[in-house]
Amino acid sequence: IMLHSTLALSLLLIAVSSNLAMAIKKEKRAPQTLSRGWGDEITWVQTYEEGLYQAKKSNKPLMVIHHLEDCQYCQALKKAFAENEEIQEMAQNDFVMLNLMHETTDKNLSPDGQYVPRIMFIDPSLTVRADITGRYSNRLYTYEPQDIPFLIENMKKALRLIQTEL
């Protein structure tokens, strides 16, 4: 009986300590509230102004995602965006990233209206790339989950345009 309870106790301790280790490991990373589900490995800036500053400083394009929590189209796009490895990797390494649940005062970010989801690219020269559009003529900067390959192409285009134009 003694052996049995010792075994049970050590198994319990192992379970507790591995859970504790996982909790500690999770704790070490800064809590990623700014991702709002778009990608926890990505470093997100908090404001549009900070995004512009970082874009200029790092010479990376700024990608601005306008979305709302209770918009089903945003939720669907967010899921596809977060699950796509290529997007996550590019967003992590090659872009300054911002997701916003409110409109900015910069009218250049809503050239054809304030709808969501809407994704705009801003060059390190701080030029809004209104020429990088999605597939829909009525909402130029919106993407649906099935448009992820198209969004990837547009991210690559945003990167290419910097190199050729700056």
Side-chain angles (χ1 to χ4, degrees), residues 1-11:
I1 292 173
M2 188 67 190
L3 183 70
H4 186 77
S5 59
T6 311
L7 186 65
L9 187 64
S10 43
L11 283 176

Side-chain angles (χ1 to χ4, degrees), residues 40-135:
D40 289 339
E41 299 301 314
I42 297 168
T43 306
W44 297 89
V45 294
Q46 202 158 359
T47 63
Y48 181 52
E49 292 66 32
E50 186 192 344
L52 293 174
Y53 173 77
Q54 291 294 345
K56 204 176 173 78
K57 197 174 100 171
S58 65
N59 200 35
K60 291 177 178 178
L62 168 63
M63 182 172 177
V64 182
I65 304 170
H66 290 89
H67 64 107
L68 289 170
E69 216 41 75
D70 54 2
C71 149
Q72 65 183 33
Y73 302 103
C74 301
Q75 293 292 1
L77 180 63
K78 179 195 294 190
K79 188 176 185 306
F81 188 97
E83 286 171 0
N84 186 287
E85 281 178 29
E86 191 175 358
I87 282 193
Q88 291 292 306
E89 197 173 311
M90 274 198 287
Q92 210 174 322
N93 300 320
D94 306 323
F95 287 84
V96 175
M97 296 296 296
L98 172 65
N99 71 74
L100 282 180
M101 297 190 353
H102 56 84
E103 289 294 338
T104 66
T105 49
D106 186 345
K107 294 285 167 269
N108 296 316
L109 286 189
S110 49
D112 65 341
Q114 298 190 335
Y115 50 86
V116 290
R118 190 168 87 250
I119 300 180
M120 305 283 309
F121 296 94
I122 295 96
D123 213 275
S125 67
L126 307 189
T127 311
V128 175
R129 303 296 324 213
D131 53 340
I132 301 180
T133 56
R135 294 177 44 203

